[in-house]
């Protein structure tokens, strides 16, 4: 067995491990608000996320992926393709190990930033500081601050509106009948725009920005009209007004959670299989291109890895994000989902490598702060932020160590 075959086999194992960690950490924290708000149980979240992530990864996932993730380094400046192969494996293994450590300690981290840090580490050692795209790295650092703040601000405003114009009204049912169609329509538009701009399948439709907005506006009007017609069935006349309103937002939150699951499968599977696809290409063609075709079996492996990860360890991160930062209800959970999805959509379209994890946690803090500082457990939040700050340097350092050991042993 030659060197190329050995590293290909090892990279498939490491890629499955990374996909497992994606399910256990990234996917789990995006479902956490629905579990924390009791919209769905933990078992239902595991089933929904497992099935829909697999569907998203296999049927909507990108079949062409950039081989050097996020443009952090320039691979053309590293001429020895064996060095690149060893480096990509070291980066994959390093990122997978760090996300696993975070998952076992029940803290949410960004798998995207773990991969970015790992590739930065081996690229710096293999090609020197000029290989690194420092401007892109600056965007990553900037996103640590912007995405949680954006998520917190939007979620705060959404929950403030719901509380001010629905929950604080004497006749909540009447207020909900007035405002619920608005939020249902806006949510559908948000999901639709996010699907068109964020998923590989939506991008494949090649709609222009104006075309997508016009289509979404038409759908918004239709959904708003339909929601107004059928809202009486959704919210019956009952004495338990708060429970009826929470029940309505519970249904809306289940819908957004299903979307998040399928979208994550389509987008985040590349974090696990992108480096594997690069190693597969080097092992097959002995060269490195800017992008690579992803074989279907790799997408299936990534989908299975995500599903197994959330089933086995997903509950750890869901407990922390959904229940330990602040107490969530269905209306608060809806505001969290809306804030996180809006932040990811806006930042992605501005070209920022935003993390869903950071946006979701920021949104949860936002709805917590809407009830005052005492409603947020800042000790848990401090631990999470420490892990975020440490992600890139730790992933980079461990990648350097693994890369140097492998280079010494194999090249």
């Amino acid at each position: 067995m030659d060197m190329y075959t050995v590293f290909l086999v090892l990279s498939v194992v490491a890629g499955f491990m990374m996909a497992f960690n994606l399910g256990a950490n990234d996917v789990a924290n995006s479902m956490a608000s629905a579990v924390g708000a009791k919209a769905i149980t933990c078992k239902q979240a595991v089933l929904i996320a497992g099935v829909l992530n697999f569907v998203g990864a296999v049927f909507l996932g990108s079949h062409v992926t950039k081989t050097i993730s996020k443009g952090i380094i320039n691979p053309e400046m590293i001429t020895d393709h064996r060095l690149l192969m060893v480096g990509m494996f070291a980066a994959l293994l390093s990122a997978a190990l760090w996300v696993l450590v975070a998952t076992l300690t029940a803290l949410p981290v960004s798998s995207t930033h773990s991969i970015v840090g790992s590739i930065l580490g081996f690229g710096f050692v293999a090609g020197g500081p000029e290989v690194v795209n420092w401007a892109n790295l600056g965007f990553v650092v900037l996103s640590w601050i912007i995405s949680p703040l954006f998520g917190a601000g939007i979620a705060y405003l959404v929950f403030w509106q719901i509380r001010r114009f629905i929950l604080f009204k004497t006749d909540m049912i009447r207020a909900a009948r007035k405002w619920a169609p608005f939020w249902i329509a806006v949510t559908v538009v948000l999901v639709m725009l996010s699907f068109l701009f964020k998923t590989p399948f939506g991008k494949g439709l090649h709609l222009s920005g104006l075309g997508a907005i016009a289509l979404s506006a038409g759908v918004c009007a239709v959904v708003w009209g339909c929601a107004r017609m059928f809202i009486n069935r959704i919210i019956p006349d009952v004495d338990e007004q708060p429970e009826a309103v929470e029940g309505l937002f519970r249904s809306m939150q289940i819908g957004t959670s299903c979307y998040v699951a399928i979208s994550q499968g389509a987008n985040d599977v590349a974090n696990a299989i992108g480096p594997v696809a690069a190693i597969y290409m080097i092992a097959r063609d002995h060269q490195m291109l800017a992008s690579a075709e992803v074989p279907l079996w790799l997408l299936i492996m990534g989908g299975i890895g995500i599903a197994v990860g959330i089933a086995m360890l997903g509950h750890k991160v869901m407990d922390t994000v959904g229940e330990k930062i602040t107490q969530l209800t269905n209306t608060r959970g809806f505001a969290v989902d809306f804030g996180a999805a809006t932040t990811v959509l806006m930042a992605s379209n501005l070209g920022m490598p935003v993390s869903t994890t950071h946006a979701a946690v920021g949104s949860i803090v936002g709805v917590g702060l809407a009830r005052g500082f005492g409603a947020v457990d800042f000790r848990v939040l401090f631990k999470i932020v420490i892990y975020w700050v440490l992600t890139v340097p730790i992933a980079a350092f461990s990648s350097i160590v693994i890369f140097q050991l492998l280079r010494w042993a194999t090249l």
Side-chain angles (χ1 to χ4, degrees), residues 149-231:
L149 290 180
F150 264 45
I154 295 170
Y156 181 97
L157 290 175
V158 171
F159 183 59
W160 175 85
Q161 197 281 339
I162 293 171
R163 201 162 62 157
R164 172 76 174 77
F165 292 97
I166 299 178
L167 299 180
F168 283 179
K169 293 292 182 183
T170 306
D171 189 346
M172 287 187 198
I173 298 293
R174 184 178 178 185
R177 284 175 178 154
K178 177 181 177 182
W179 284 104
F182 167 78
W183 283 116
I184 291 172
V186 172
T187 302
V188 169
V189 168
L190 176 67
V191 168
M192 189 170 175
L193 285 175
S194 182
F195 187 82
L196 289 174
F197 289 133
K198 279 284 290 172
T199 67
F201 183 83
K203 291 175 183 174
L205 297 176
H206 301 299
L207 281 177
S208 66
L210 283 177
I213 292 172
L215 179 63
S216 300
V219 171
C220 178
V222 172
V223 171
W224 181 78
C226 292
R228 277 186 62 87
M229 287 175 59
F230 295 105
I231 205 71

Side-chain angles (χ1 to χ4, degrees), residues 26-350:
D26 269 38
V27 178
N29 71 54
S30 66
M31 301 293 287
S33 61
V35 175
K38 306 292 187 293
I40 52 178
T41 65
C42 190
K43 287 183 179 178
Q44 288 170 331
V46 167
L47 184 64
I48 291 171
V51 172
L52 293 184
N53 263 274
F54 180 82
V55 170
V58 175
F59 297 103
L60 302 178
S62 178
H63 291 265
V64 178
T65 184
K66 290 183 180 178
T67 51
I68 297 296
S69 180
K70 311 299 179 190
I72 292 299
I73 65 170
N74 181 3
E76 293 177 358
M77 298 180 72
I78 304 174
T79 54
D80 186 346
H81 60 265
R82 294 180 307 161
L83 210 60
L84 269 177
M85 182 174 68
V86 173
M88 293 301 282
F89 173 74
L92 190 59
L93 187 60
S94 165
L97 288 173
W98 169 243
V99 181
L100 180 63
V101 168
T103 304
L104 293 175
T105 51
L107 289 171
V109 295
S110 166
S111 62
T112 304
H113 292 176
S114 302
I115 280 286
V116 165
S118 298
I119 291 177
L120 168 71
F122 101 80
F124 191 89
V125 171
E130 63 272 15
V131 169
V132 179
N133 188 334
W134 295 104
N136 276 5
L137 186 63
F139 267 121
V140 171
V141 174
L142 201 60
S143 76
W144 295 341
I145 303 166
I146 290 178
S147 53
L149 290 180
F150 264 45
I154 295 170
Y156 181 97
L157 290 175
V158 171
F159 183 59
W160 175 85
Q161 197 281 339
I162 293 171
R163 201 162 62 157
R164 172 76 174 77
F165 292 97
I166 299 178
L167 299 180
F168 283 179
K169 293 292 182 183
T170 306
D171 189 346
M172 287 187 198
I173 298 293
R174 184 178 178 185
R177 284 175 178 154
K178 177 181 177 182
W179 284 104
F182 167 78
W183 283 116
I184 291 172
V186 172
T187 302
V188 169
V189 168
L190 176 67
V191 168
M192 189 170 175
L193 285 175
S194 182
F195 187 82
L196 289 174
F197 289 133
K198 279 284 290 172
T199 67
F201 183 83
K203 291 175 183 174
L205 297 176
H206 301 299
L207 281 177
S208 66
L210 283 177
I213 292 172
L215 179 63
S216 300
V219 171
C220 178
V222 172
V223 171
W224 181 78
C226 292
R228 277 186 62 87
M229 287 175 59
F230 295 105
I231 205 71
N232 287 340
R233 295 183 184 178
I234 299 172
I235 316 179
D237 283 312
V238 291
D239 294 332
E240 298 81 13
Q241 295 189 29
E243 287 78 4
V245 172
E246 291 291 337
L248 170 65
F249 279 91
R250 184 183 305 127
S251 304
M252 294 161 63
Q253 202 185 0
I254 291 172
T256 54
S257 297
C258 289
Y259 165 72
V260 168
I262 200 165
S263 175
Q264 272 197 321
N267 287 297
D268 291 356
V269 72
N271 283 341
I273 64 170
V276 184
I279 294 169
Y280 173 75
M281 183 171 61
I282 293 173
R284 187 188 61 187
D285 303 330
H286 294 189
Q287 65 174 332
M288 184 77 165
L289 301 175
S291 61
E293 286 284 339
V294 180
L296 182 61
W297 64 269
L298 268 183
L299 288 171
I300 293 174
M301 182 200 74
I304 293 173
I306 290 173
V308 174
I310 191 171
M312 292 186 66
L313 293 179
H315 63 280
K316 285 180 172 288
V317 174
M318 274 194 269
D319 284 347
T320 301
V321 178
E323 298 182 8
K324 292 183 180 176
I325 299 174
T326 192
Q327 187 178 6
L328 294 176
T329 61
N330 296 120
T331 45
R332 294 170 200 159
F334 170 78
V336 168
D337 286 350
F338 193 92
T342 307
T343 301
V344 171
L345 178 63
M346 289 170 58
S348 298
N349 288 325
L350 290 174

